[in-house]
Amino acid sequence: MSSSGGEFMVTVRRKEVVAAMLPMQKHWLPLSNLDLLLPPINVGVFFCYKKPRGSASGGDDFTFGSMVRVLKEAMAQALVPYYAFAGEVLSNSLGEAELLCNNRGVDFLEAYADVKLQDLNLYNPDESIEGKLAPTRKHGVLSVQVTELKCGGIVVACTFDHRIADAYSTNMFLVSWAEMAQSKPLSVIPSFRRSLLNPRHPGSYAPSLDHMYVPISALPPPKVPQPGADPLISRLYYVTAEKLSLLQTLATSKSSSYKRTKLESLSAFLWKMVAKSAHMENANQKICKMSVVVDGRKRLSSGDEDRTTAMASYFGNVLSFPFGEKIVNDLKEKPLSWVGDEVHDFLEAAMTKEHFLGLIDWVEAHRPEPAALNMCCSGNSDGPGFMVSSGQRFPVTKVDFGWGKPALGSYHFPWGAEVGYVMPMPSPTVDDDWVVYMHLLKAQIELIETEAAHIFRPLTADHLNLFD
């Protein structure tokens, strides 16, 4: 076994299906217009736990078997209110995806990996997580794998269908699952009230949405993959609060009345790096695109107290993907404060109630034809692109099933698109530090590691106090 923690064997010991503990009436749940914007892609999330020191009751130490029992029993309870995760996505007569809530259950795998937690190469999840500790979703909406490690620690990993849930919804479920495991009352009950996202009649939307999204029939032919093309790779980095504060200062122009947010500042810095990489790789690449994902729950609430409460517990996708496109040379040469202003400007336009209502109406006007995000379309770009999604609400410390908080929690999203994906999340060990997941072209990663090694440090066991 290599010291990098990459070469290790994983043995699946048991596969079963965990269904909701209470019977339910089989029914169809339509996807909302905002769900319909998502392609059939899988999202992964995983949590690493050190070997438990003992049970909360002071009895015998936790065993892998007892932890798995707790996880399965709590899952069966959590699937009662979160019944969407126990269903199946099928096509209706119009060819649109629809959710059959039939309690088929969640595929649940128990596995063993002959590697210690502190030896896992978490910096390179392509090597340590993908295809080993993260399950492949073959049926249903959600799959779970619980893996025992050589040291007695465990990894709990989930893979879910993005058409049914965004990260906000999945975070709600993860916290509820942990609450059930500890026999705590649920802090939130999910709502599937699709009428909250009904289109208006007559509908209305800004012409800019025709640039953001494209009906599938209007897409250019996909590019033929070139032999030896630069691959997209996944990496995990640690960024300290001090470095984030420095980026904020550099990304805020003197004329700005507000300090740029940490997310805007990090996004601006990465936009600059990706543009520089594009120029070095191919001087003919003229444009560089970046999208920052916006959650619409608060925007759609717009001060209405009842609606705010309803949207706060809404389960499903409530996302928009505004993006900016700038000349590579401008991004490369101009100061970070200029890039920060550009990020703020394209984000500001999407942070309104009208933007999300318009997006719902745009989908309605084009149904049942599916649409795609323009910047993700192959053959539709003369330069690189990537997406940034904030994971700052990722409740990593709350996903405690009774044997302690995770040493690490991270989303894992090698999504198969031609554009990159970045998600910053809170550090589980130090307040205000971040763990940043990057899925970018190899050349982009290499440039970031060369020119910004002082900001993005490869994630190691030391950052997570794994040697305590």
Side-chain angles (χ1 to χ4, degrees):
M1 178 171 61
S2 101
S3 59
S4 70
E7 296 173 14
F8 62 90
M9 293 289 293
V10 177
T11 307
V12 175
R13 291 175 167 172
R14 187 173 180 181
K15 296 180 184 178
E16 63 181 297
V17 175
V18 177
M21 64 183 293
L22 297 177
M24 64 178 298
Q25 182 76 37
K26 185 195 291 190
H27 66 282
W28 290 91
L29 183 67
L31 272 58
S32 78
N33 281 10
L34 296 183
D35 292 324
L36 292 171
L37 280 173
L38 274 294
I41 49 176
N42 292 320
V43 183
V45 60
F46 67 92
F47 299 90
C48 302
Y49 298 86
K50 295 190 218 181
K51 180 181 179 178
R53 298 192 177 182
S55 67
S57 61
D60 294 336
D61 287 351
F62 285 104
T63 63
F64 180 66
S66 67
M67 289 188 281
V68 166
R69 232 177 357 261
V70 167
L71 288 167
K72 287 196 287 199
E73 288 172 6
M75 170 73 73
Q77 292 174 298
L79 289 174
V80 175
Y82 289 89
Y83 55 84
F85 269 152
E88 292 180 274
V89 181
L90 301 171
S91 292
N92 62 22
S93 59
L94 295 174
E96 292 181 330
E98 200 165 342
L99 183 65
L100 175 60
C101 301
N102 60 354
N103 198 23
R104 76 146 314 262
V106 169
D107 287 351
F108 195 105
L109 282 68
E110 299 169 38
Y112 175 80
D114 63 345
V115 64
K116 295 178 181 177
L117 180 55
Q118 60 264 39
D119 292 332
L120 268 181
N121 185 3
L122 294 167
Y123 154 69
N124 182 352
D126 289 338
E127 186 181 84
S128 57
I129 303 298
E130 181 65 20
K132 291 185 175 181
L133 302 179
T136 301
R137 186 184 66 84
K138 296 177 180 175
H139 309 286
V141 175
L142 172 69
S143 294
V144 173
Q145 179 176 321
V146 184
T147 306
E148 180 183 13
L149 304 178
K150 201 174 183 179
C151 57
I154 68 167
V155 176
V156 178
C158 306
T159 304
F160 64 92
D161 189 331
H162 203 338
R163 293 173 295 178
I164 301 306
D166 56 14
Y168 183 103
S169 306
T170 304
N171 292 345
M172 284 198 304
F173 168 77
L174 292 166
V175 172
S176 295
W177 185 16
E179 288 169 341
M180 288 291 193
Q182 297 208 54
S183 302
K184 293 179 179 177
L186 291 190
S187 53
V188 63
I189 304 294
S191 162
F192 297 92
R193 196 172 137 202
R194 298 296 194 231
S195 60
L196 289 167
L197 301 181
N198 276 351
R200 297 172 294 189
H201 296 288
S204 166
Y205 58 86
S208 59
L209 290 177
D210 285 323
H211 181 59
M212 193 182 296
Y213 296 94
V214 187
I216 294 293
S217 60
L219 290 179
K223 285 181 181 174
V224 178
Q226 298 298 311
D230 199 21
L232 284 153
I233 61 175
S234 295
R235 296 291 184 267
L236 277 171
Y237 298 96
Y238 197 89
V239 183
T240 63
E242 178 192 5
K243 299 303 183 186
L244 290 168
S245 183
L246 172 65
L247 286 181
Q248 270 188 290
T249 301
L250 294 172
T252 305
S253 59
K254 289 174 182 172
S255 60
S256 174
S257 52
Y258 296 100
K259 200 173 186 180
R260 291 286 162 252
T261 66
K262 291 176 184 178
L263 184 70
E264 287 173 334
S265 305
L266 183 87
S267 301
F269 182 80
L270 290 174
W271 203 2
K272 207 168 171 54
M273 286 284 102
V274 169
K276 187 169 185 178
S277 172
H279 181 77
M280 290 168 65
E281 290 294 306
N282 181 355
N284 293 324
Q285 294 190 100
K286 298 181 176 61
I287 300 293
C288 183
K289 298 179 182 180
M290 181 181 70
S291 172
V292 179
V293 183
V294 176
D295 187 295
R297 286 170 174 83
K298 285 185 179 174
R299 280 90 201 176
L300 284 165
S301 303
S302 193
D304 181 320
E305 196 172 326
D306 290 340
R307 197 174 177 87
T308 298
T309 303
M311 287 307 305
S313 61
Y314 180 81
F315 187 101
N317 288 284
V318 194
L319 303 175
S320 181
F321 304 87
F323 68 90
E325 48 188 340
K326 293 294 168 187
I327 295 168
V328 164
N329 265 347
D330 284 349
L331 291 167
K332 187 169 75 79
E333 302 294 341
K334 293 194 176 185
L336 189 61
S337 57
W338 179 84
V339 185
D341 288 345
E342 296 301 316
V343 174
H344 181 78
D345 287 349
F346 81 69
L347 263 178
E348 197 172 39
M351 290 190 168
T352 65
K353 181 178 183 178
E354 182 53 41
H355 171 81
F356 279 89
L357 292 175
L359 188 50
I360 292 166
D361 290 347
W362 187 93
V363 176
E364 189 67 16
H366 293 83
R367 288 179 66 181
E369 185 176 3
L373 186 62
N374 193 353
M375 69 164 283
C376 293
C377 299
S378 171
N380 212 20
S381 171
D382 50 5
F386 69 105
M387 183 179 291
V388 180
S389 179
S390 173
Q392 284 314 295
R393 285 192 298 259
F394 185 44
V396 59
T397 58
K398 293 182 179 179
V399 188
D400 178 351
F401 296 100
W403 45 84
K405 295 174 182 177
L408 172 68
S410 174
Y411 273 86
H412 176 62
F413 192 38
W415 60 330
E418 291 187 11
V419 300
Y421 182 85
V422 175
M423 183 181 241
M425 295 158 284
S427 160
T429 52
V430 181
D431 288 347
D432 300 323
D433 287 2
W434 284 4
V435 170
V436 180
Y437 170 80
M438 289 194 201
H439 181 67
L440 295 172
L441 290 173
K442 188 167 181 280
Q444 295 165 355
I445 291 279
E446 287 172 351
L447 181 73
I448 289 165
E449 291 190 351
T450 302
E451 300 209 353
H454 60 298
I455 296 173
F456 298 97
R457 300 175 186 171
L459 185 70
T460 67
D462 288 321
H463 291 126
L464 307 172
N465 301 329
L466 293 183
F467 294 109
D468 289 358

